[in-house]
Amino acid sequence: LNVLLAEAGVPYDVVLEMDEINEDFPETDAVLVVGANDTVNSAAVDDPNSIIAGMPVMHVWESENVIVLKRTLGTGYADVDNPVFYKENTGMLLGDAKSSCDALNAKIGELLK
């Protein structure tokens, strides 16, 4: 992941470790999840019988609102359904993530004018 961030030009000093960011989610108004599945799967924490139980994940479901951008509701690499997708505080925006992000950015820009 660090290689991808470096290739995208993201400075290391703005990147937090998972345990650091997890502390912030309960005080976070909104989280935008783009294309992730297993790394934000609450089954790793909540389901001791899950094949991903104990896997480090970002606790996005603890934030007030979660917006997930994915092509489909399909499972991730671990082939485990993600309960976060069905939580009351989660909204799903299915489709191409780049197009969805561009549309969200444009709409936010309009609202801030």
Side-chain angles (χ1 to χ4, degrees), residues 24 30 45 59 66 77 87 89 94 97 99 113:
D24 293 342
V45 175
H59 299 189
V66 181
Y77 181 77
K87 293 187 181 286
N89 66 330
L94 300 178
S99 298
K113 286 184 183 179

Side-chain angles (χ1 to χ4, degrees), residues 35-108:
N37 193 346
D38 296 334
T39 58
V40 296
N41 193 326
S42 62
V45 175
D46 298 335
D47 183 358
N49 297 315
S50 173
I51 63 168
I52 62 169
M55 183 179 97
V57 294
M58 291 181 281
H59 299 189
V60 297
W61 61 91
E62 294 177 355
S63 67
E64 188 172 335
N65 298 284
V66 181
I67 303 164
V68 178
L69 286 73
K70 282 183 51 102
R71 287 190 185 277
T72 70
L73 283 173
T75 58
Y77 181 77
D79 198 28
V80 176
D81 198 28
N82 192 334
V84 172
F85 298 167
Y86 309 101
K87 293 187 181 286
E88 287 186 24
N89 66 330
T90 299
M92 300 294 296
L93 185 53
L94 300 178
D96 178 72
K98 171 130 178 42
S99 298
S100 297
C101 283
D102 288 346
L104 282 172
N105 191 36
K107 188 63 174 179
I108 291 168

Side-chain angles (χ1 to χ4, degrees), residues 10-16:
V10 176
Y12 285 113
D13 61 334
V14 300
V15 177
L16 298 176

